[in-house]
């Protein structure tokens, strides 16, 4: 089977981290992979997580299998975090949830469910989007297409082309939307645009599938769900993929959920039985530890407050870095406008750097970023920021 087999192509983003690790230059800077870093360049374990783990170590009674769709009490708490406890469809029992292996696992379950229930559907992805969306869809065997998201001229959401495209999506298709902190552009709709998207979803009847991987990284957990709630209040059915990778820093614990909004509680529960069947053959039942950490934090008033405090600090560091980067570049390039960096949301900034500039920065300055010029602003450190601003300025001069 493996005789003279060709190696698979490296993952474009994780492969970048491997190349960064192997780079011996001491000045190297990793602005590629999408993980939060503190001022020292580490991806920390939150205090709330440590405390929850201590509590779990002292009180957990079993490592026996969880139900296939996860612990119901934990899933209830997750639903309340995602939608808010007073969201009518949640109170009415029209939302069912399954624990998932991070946001990726949730997307996988949701796409597999769509493949089963709507095999002829096309999933419409924003252009650009996180590379794994298309890859998962190919693997699941669902057709995909794209709709415009980003306008490079205004460096914001391409309102009119986006609305035109969504108005033409057939009712039996599915539209993937980033709920906040769009990856890779950092460009999110404003409330008025969300209203227009919601109106089109309602009248056209296509199924919205929200990828909500960054709740709390844009503004805060409540404001970040505003667009999602705007749409979900007006449609009978939807899917939402959530993740604790970023907002609790539980990257390697693989904790997330797939939320299903249906017309009735019976429909929601019936849909969940299909998700369980899909999960059963993929991994049988979900991992306990990450979800137990999240559940412990959400259930405990003090731990929850501590977590929200730490999440706010992560959000502030990201927003602060945006200002530092924009100011640093503006000071070196007075004839250019960098205010878009501050307007964008979440960890990523679409820098607008060309392929040649990105390649030069990597080859000559050991500054790593994703092709297309996506910068993880959380990867900027006080010690490296001037070097990054100088280097980007030089790349702009060399490759105008
Ligand atoms: C847009 C988007 N969706 C989903 C994910 C998946 O996150 P997880 O690590 O929870 O699988 C990511 C992670 O980078 C992401 O950027």
């Amino acid at each position: 089977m493996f005789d003279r087999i060709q190696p698979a192509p490296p993952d474009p983003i994780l492969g970048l981290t491997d190349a960064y690790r192997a780079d011996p230059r001491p000045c190297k800077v990793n602005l590629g992979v999408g993980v939060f870093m503190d001022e020292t360049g580490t991806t920390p374990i939150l205090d709330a997580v440590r405390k929850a783990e201590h509590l779990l170590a002292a009180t957990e009674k079993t490592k026996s299998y969880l139900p296939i769709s996860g612990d119901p009490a934990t899933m209830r708490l997750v639903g309340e975090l995602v939608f808010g406890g007073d969201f009518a469809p949640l109170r009415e029992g029209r939302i069912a949830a399954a624990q998932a292996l991070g946001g990726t696992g949730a997307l996988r379950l949701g796409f597999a469910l769509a493949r089963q229930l709507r095999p002829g559907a096309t999933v419409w992805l924003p252009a650009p989007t996180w590379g794994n969306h298309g890859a998962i869809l190919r693997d699941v065997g669902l057709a995909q297409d794209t709709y415009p998201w980003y306008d490079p001229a205004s460096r914001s959401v391409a309102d009119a082309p986006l609305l035109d495209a969504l108005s033409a999506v057939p009712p039996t298709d599915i539209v993937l939307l980033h709920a906040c902190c769009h990856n890779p552009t950092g460009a999110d709709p404003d409330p008025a645009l969300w209203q227009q998207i919601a109106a089109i979803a309602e009248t056209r009847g296509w199924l919205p599938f929200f990828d909500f991987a960054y709740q709390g990284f844009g503004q805060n957990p409540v404001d970040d769900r505003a667009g999602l709630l705007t749409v979900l209040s007006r449609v009978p059915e939807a899917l939402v993929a959530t993740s604790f990778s970023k907002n609790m820093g539980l990257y390697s614990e693989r904790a997330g959920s797939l939320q299903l909004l249906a017309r009735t509680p019976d429909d929601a529960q019936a849909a969940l039985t299909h998700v369980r069947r899909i999960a059963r053959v993929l991994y049988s039942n979900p991992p306990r530890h990450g979800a137990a950490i999240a559940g412990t934090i959400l259930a405990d008033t003090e731990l929850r407050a501590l977590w929200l405090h730490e999440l706010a600090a992560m959000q502030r560091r990201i927003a602060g870095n945006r200002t530092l980067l924009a100011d640093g570049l503006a000071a070196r390039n007075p004839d250019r406008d960098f205010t878009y960096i501050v307007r964008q949301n979440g960890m990523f900034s679409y820098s607008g750097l060309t392929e040649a500039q990105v390649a030069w920065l990597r080859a000559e300055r050991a500054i790593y970023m994703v092709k297309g010029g996506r910068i993880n602003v959380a990867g900027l450190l006080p010690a490296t920021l001037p070097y990054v601003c100088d280097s980007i300025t030089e790349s702009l001069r060399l490759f105008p």
Side-chain angles (χ1 to χ4, degrees):
M1 190 163 67
F2 309 128
D3 188 25
R4 271 167 258 175
I5 185 176
Q6 292 299 312
D11 180 272
I13 295 180
L14 299 183
L16 198 69
T17 305
D18 292 341
Y20 168 80
R21 284 208 188 102
D23 193 324
R25 290 173 284 181
C27 63
K28 65 184 177 178
V29 182
N30 188 2
L31 304 179
V33 71
V35 299
F36 175 82
M37 286 175 227
D38 64 17
E39 323 43 52
T40 67
T42 46
T43 302
I45 300 178
L46 301 186
D47 284 343
V49 167
R50 271 211 202 285
K51 290 190 170 163
E53 286 187 306
H54 282 302
L55 208 64
L56 284 168
T59 56
E60 206 167 49
K61 295 204 169 48
T62 181
K63 292 289 187 191
S64 182
Y65 296 126
L66 285 182
I68 300 177
S69 47
D71 171 50
T74 303
M75 286 299 101
R76 221 174 357 263
L77 290 165
V78 174
E80 287 167 7
L81 171 70
V82 170
F83 304 106
D86 54 358
F87 187 51
L90 194 66
R91 278 193 280 112
E92 292 157 14
R94 289 174 47 216
I95 295 179
Q99 192 186 318
L101 280 75
T104 308
L107 290 162
R108 174 82 201 200
L109 289 177
F111 288 150
L113 182 69
R115 174 77 178 80
Q116 257 182 35
L117 302 180
R118 280 207 188 154
T122 293
V123 178
W124 294 78
L125 301 175
T129 193
W130 183 50
N132 227 5
H133 286 144
I136 300 170
L137 282 169
R138 273 191 294 282
D139 205 44
V140 163
L142 264 183
Q144 57 184 287
D145 209 328
T146 60
Y147 64 91
W149 184 262
Y150 187 67
D151 172 27
S154 66
R155 296 181 189 270
S156 54
V157 180
D159 305 31
L162 165 93
L163 294 172
D164 281 351
L166 294 188
S167 301
V169 169
T172 47
D173 281 356
I174 296 164
V175 174
L176 186 117
L177 293 152
H178 296 230
C180 69
C181 306
H182 181 270
N183 178 3
T185 66
D188 288 338
D190 60 18
L193 184 58
W194 276 123
Q195 287 289 355
Q196 288 171 292
I197 294 170
I200 294 169
E202 183 181 16
T203 49
R204 287 294 296 170
W206 42 256
L207 186 96
F209 190 160
F210 278 93
D211 184 343
F212 199 12
Y214 293 95
Q215 186 177 13
F217 268 34
Q219 308 299 325
N220 57 64
V222 174
D223 289 342
D224 287 356
R225 66 177 172 234
L228 170 133
L229 293 193
T230 299
V231 177
L232 262 51
S233 312
R234 292 179 68 168
V235 296
E237 298 187 346
L239 294 164
V240 185
T242 82
S243 170
F244 288 112
S245 300
K246 321 280 166 164
N247 59 14
M248 287 195 184
L250 292 175
Y251 302 90
S252 53
E253 297 291 356
R254 312 311 299 139
S257 76
L258 177 69
Q259 307 280 336
L260 315 161
L261 168 69
R263 283 187 170 76
T264 65
D266 284 351
D267 286 352
Q269 290 306 319
L272 187 62
T273 63
H274 290 273
V275 175
R276 288 198 190 106
R277 274 173 69 94
I278 292 163
R280 177 71 175 147
V281 297
L282 285 173
Y283 52 84
S284 190
N285 46 73
R288 177 184 292 273
H289 192 63
I293 294 169
T296 303
I297 290 173
L298 294 175
D300 182 292
T301 314
E302 259 175 51
L303 285 181
R304 190 189 181 95
L306 174 60
W307 167 57
L308 289 172
H309 177 75
E310 293 185 282
L311 175 57
M314 290 196 281
Q315 187 277 341
R316 270 199 309 277
R317 176 171 146 69
I318 296 167
N321 269 1
R322 288 190 175 282
T323 306
L324 290 173
L325 179 63
D327 289 353
L329 289 172
R332 290 162 176 81
N333 305 271
D335 51 332
R336 284 176 186 256
D337 176 23
F338 294 100
T339 52
Y340 66 91
I341 297 174
V342 181
R343 285 199 306 274
Q344 295 165 335
N345 271 324
M347 263 194 317
F348 302 118
S349 174
Y350 222 38
S351 63
L353 292 171
T354 63
E355 212 165 301
Q357 290 159 348
V358 170
W360 181 84
L361 285 164
R362 175 171 164 175
E364 299 301 325
R365 297 296 171 94
I367 296 174
Y368 287 73
M369 59 185 77
V370 178
K371 240 208 255 166
R374 187 194 84 173
I375 288 178
N376 175 5
V377 289
L380 292 166
L381 311 179
T384 58
L385 188 85
Y387 174 67
V388 169
C389 290
D390 287 343
S391 301
I392 290 178
T393 301
E394 184 63 5
S395 78
L396 294 173
R397 194 186 62 76
L398 286 172
F399 303 93

